[in-house]
Amino acid sequence: MYQLFIGNKNYSSWSLRPWLLMHHLEIPFVEKLVTFEEGGSWEKFHTFSPTGQVPCLKTDTTTVWDSLAITEYLAEDFSQVWATDRQARAWSRCASAEMHSGFSSLRNMCPMNCSLKVTLNEISNSLQRDLKRVDELWIEGIQQFGGPFLAGQEFTAVDAFFAPVTIRVKNYNLPLGKTAKEYIALIHNLPSMKKWLTDAIQEPWRETIHEEEAATFGTITADLRNV
């Protein structure tokens, strides 16, 4: 049985990716949620993850400590992780790798917080470039492979990799086009995504750095935890 170590659902975008993939595809796993600590979590997380970071997947014999590596490890046993069409798989891997290593302005200016609605003070040129690229990728995937998901008719790993972006776009009210908005609605209507968001909002833990990050670039207009 897989054990998936994750951080707080409210904050951890990296944890969401493999969790959503496995949960939606009904790949059996035991969830191990380990909360972030004030002042840093490296020592706590290092007890199960070589990098002191999440996510981390464990079996009786193997530890996989990177979200993209976890995805590829799972794909060796579960063909539904990636699209069945070879061209769609190649595109999906490129898009997922681009998400894995890029979009720094989007990450930094719109930190993951499932519970907060934020109005940005401004949309910088670098953030606008990231949003334009997200729009381009989503339109390209949906049009090229027929939708409604990025690589075709079924949810696959590339959708999991962009799932945190859908939260950021929605919670920071970021300007994207009609296709992107329809795609976000599709992802947020998935039962697995609904469960993650519900769990995130219901978490009792608060971590100062993550809470303050959300207000760095804008004004908090709503906290869903207070509803």
Side-chain angles (χ1 to χ4, degrees):
M1 176 70 74
Y2 297 114
Q3 294 184 44
L4 182 64
F5 288 81
I6 63 174
N8 303 46
K9 290 181 177 178
N10 192 52
Y11 308 125
S12 186
S13 59
W14 292 106
S15 297
L16 170 58
R17 294 180 171 99
W19 185 97
L20 184 63
L21 180 68
M22 296 176 77
H23 196 274
H24 181 81
L25 297 183
E26 298 183 343
I27 298 173
F29 70 99
V30 176
E31 176 186 308
K32 298 285 187 178
L33 193 155
V34 184
T35 57
F36 293 112
E37 294 291 327
E38 295 285 354
S41 306
W42 187 89
E43 291 186 1
K44 184 178 182 180
F45 287 2
H46 190 248
T47 60
F48 57 83
S49 172
T51 59
Q53 296 177 322
V54 287
C56 184
L57 185 76
K58 282 184 174 288
T59 70
D60 291 339
T61 59
T62 306
T63 299
V64 190
W65 60 88
D66 173 84
S67 58
L68 193 53
I70 290 170
T71 300
E72 294 292 6
Y73 183 79
L74 293 171
E76 294 182 18
D77 289 325
F78 301 93
S79 60
Q80 66 268 39
V81 166
W82 294 110
T84 56
D85 177 76
R86 187 179 186 185
Q87 185 178 358
R89 282 200 308 277
W91 182 90
S92 297
R93 284 188 165 106
C94 289
S96 298
E98 185 176 349
M99 181 71 255
H100 189 263
S101 61
F103 299 96
S104 59
S105 292
L106 179 58
R107 298 181 198 278
N108 294 333
M109 296 185 68
C110 304
M112 171 88 156
N113 193 311
C114 296
S115 301
L116 298 181
K117 301 290 187 180
V118 181
T119 299
L120 292 177
N121 296 328
E122 65 170 343
I123 296 180
S124 68
N125 290 336
S126 60
L127 177 56
Q128 185 58 53
R129 284 194 296 270
D130 280 357
L131 294 174
K132 182 180 178 182
R133 182 57 183 151
V134 168
D135 227 8
E136 290 174 349
L137 274 172
W138 290 1
I139 291 171
E140 181 182 5
I142 290 168
Q143 289 184 350
Q144 186 170 356
F145 306 115
F149 295 100
L150 295 181
Q153 294 182 356
E154 304 296 332
F155 177 96
T156 59
V158 67
D159 299 294
F161 266 83
F162 280 94
V165 176
T166 70
I167 295 172
R168 287 178 162 101
V169 172
K170 195 168 183 179
N171 285 15
Y172 288 84
N173 194 28
L174 301 177
L176 289 182
K178 180 176 181 289
T179 298
K181 291 177 181 178
E182 291 173 350
Y183 174 70
I184 291 169
L186 174 71
I187 296 300
H188 282 246
N189 277 326
L190 296 175
S192 295
M193 188 67 159
K194 287 182 177 180
K195 176 170 174 50
W196 177 279
L197 292 171
T198 298
D199 290 349
I201 292 168
Q202 292 177 349
E203 284 181 346
W205 312 290
R206 304 288 186 273
E207 204 274 322
T208 303
I209 291 177
H210 285 99
E211 291 294 313
E212 291 178 347
E213 276 182 340
T216 302
F217 296 100
T219 301
I220 296 172
T221 58
D223 187 336
L224 301 180
R225 295 166 295 193
N226 297 331
V227 176

